[in-house]
Amino acid sequence: MKKFTFSDMNRASGEILEAALIEPVALTKRGKEKLVILSAAAYERLAGQTHTKAYRLEDAPDAVHDELMAGLDAILDDTAPDA
């Protein structure tokens, strides 16, 4: 993530906003990140993640259940002792 100071924002706001369309940009004050500027699409992706639906295993749709079980199988395969 690129970092700019608040003073940079006053001098080169156009450049900073263009950069924020490509990747999130941090604005710093006294060396500490205070703000992050990101594109609307990136924000929507983040906001959408906060509305993830939770399921109990027995109530999960087949696709969710299958993905979970495949992940668990992969973990168990990695932790199994070699014969």
Side-chain angles (χ1 to χ4, degrees), residues 20-32:
L21 290 171
I22 298 167
E23 65 177 328
V25 170
L27 293 181
T28 64
K29 187 172 186 177
R30 295 190 180 112
K32 294 183 181 179

Side-chain angles (χ1 to χ4, degrees), residues 2-55:
K2 292 184 179 182
K3 295 182 181 185
F4 298 91
T5 66
F6 275 69
S7 296
D8 293 336
M9 188 65 177
N10 288 329
R11 288 189 300 269
S13 61
E15 176 187 338
I16 294 170
L17 294 175
E18 286 292 322
L21 290 171
I22 298 167
E23 65 177 328
V25 170
L27 293 181
T28 64
K29 187 172 186 177
R30 295 190 180 112
K32 294 183 181 179
E33 291 182 6
K34 297 293 184 179
L35 297 171
V36 175
I37 303 172
L38 62 153
S39 69
Y43 173 78
E44 288 170 4
R45 283 193 303 276
L46 286 173
Q49 290 177 0
T50 61
H51 303 290
T52 302
K53 180 140 173 87
Y55 302 99

